[in-house]
Amino acid sequence: MKGNARFLSLLALLSLSALAQPGPPPPGNPPPPPAAPQAAPYQDYRHMVRAQREVARAQYLAGLVRPSPLKGEADGLLRWAQGLQTQDPFRAKELAAAAANIYEGLLLVEGAPYPPVPRGPEGWSRAYEAPYRAQEAIARTEMEAVYYRVNNPLVRRLLEEAKRLLSQGNDLAKAEAAHRLARAAHHLIKAERGF
């Protein structure tokens, strides 16, 4: 008798749990899409800190460069980045990085004093790799611009200027400047696509 009572109480519990589960959605109505995951607060903070750091670096470099049309473009990017720091820190970081790379490229073209050339683990100078790094950066940025269908005229202008600098012979400073301008174009593409 006790075995039957246990069996009946177990059967009643199973039937109640089956009733508590939601059934399938009615035919013709698709289920609602799952909610998009929210970014963790520390990721937003990290992007904000990086944006502030890039804006500060670009502001410092802006004071070292002589006025030119390309400097005017970089100044515009820097102002835009400053306005986006709290609303869209990722885009602000990328715009400020693009401006900083333009400033660095202009400093190299002007022949202004610049930090020492980085050296590899064996002590050889990485400056001799500048033409190859510039070619690689230009090719990569051009491919990304085609892939993501970027129609930003500043990206095209930076790539053209990088190619022009690279074609001017064996000047390592101009090759490094071309590399910086290609990197600036790459940062603009990242800012436009949002990742």
Side-chain angles (χ1 to χ4, degrees), residues 17-25:
S17 65
L19 290 175
Q21 295 178 357

Side-chain angles (χ1 to χ4, degrees), residues 61 64-66 102-114:
L61 290 169
L64 302 176
V65 181
R66 289 186 297 220
I102 292 172
Y103 294 138
E104 288 175 345
L106 290 173
L107 282 172
L108 286 163
V109 170
E110 292 173 2
Y114 199 69

Side-chain angles (χ1 to χ4, degrees), residues 26 125 151:
S125 173
N151 293 322

Side-chain angles (χ1 to χ4, degrees), residues 71-158:
K71 182 187 186 299
E73 295 281 356
D75 291 341
L77 291 174
L78 179 57
R79 283 191 299 274
W80 190 13
Q82 289 169 337
L84 287 177
Q85 280 187 75
T86 55
Q87 301 160 352
D88 192 351
F90 175 79
R91 185 166 284 150
K93 174 183 70 91
E94 294 300 328
L95 291 171
N101 276 295
I102 292 172
Y103 294 138
E104 288 175 345
L106 290 173
L107 282 172
L108 286 163
V109 170
E110 292 173 2
Y114 199 69
V117 176
R119 300 207 171 263
E122 292 86 24
W124 48 268
S125 173
R126 288 186 59 208
Y128 295 109
E129 297 176 357
Y132 306 109
R133 287 186 290 138
Q135 289 171 353
E136 181 183 355
I138 290 169
R140 176 182 177 184
T141 305
E142 284 180 331
M143 285 188 282
E144 284 194 21
V146 169
Y147 183 79
Y148 292 110
R149 296 184 178 106
V150 174
N151 293 322
N152 189 334
L154 184 55
V155 170
R156 286 194 304 269
R157 183 174 171 206
L158 288 171

Side-chain angles (χ1 to χ4, degrees), residues 6 9 17 38 41 48 52 56-57 62 65 68 70 102 111 115 117 122 128-129 141 151-153 168 171 179:
R6 285 186 184 161
S9 62
S17 65
Q38 296 294 325
M48 197 171 298
Q52 290 171 352
R57 182 171 79 103
V65 181
S68 70
L70 205 51
I102 292 172
V117 176
E122 292 86 24
Y128 295 109
E129 297 176 357
T141 305
N151 293 322
N152 189 334
Q168 289 183 352
D171 188 350
H179 180 230

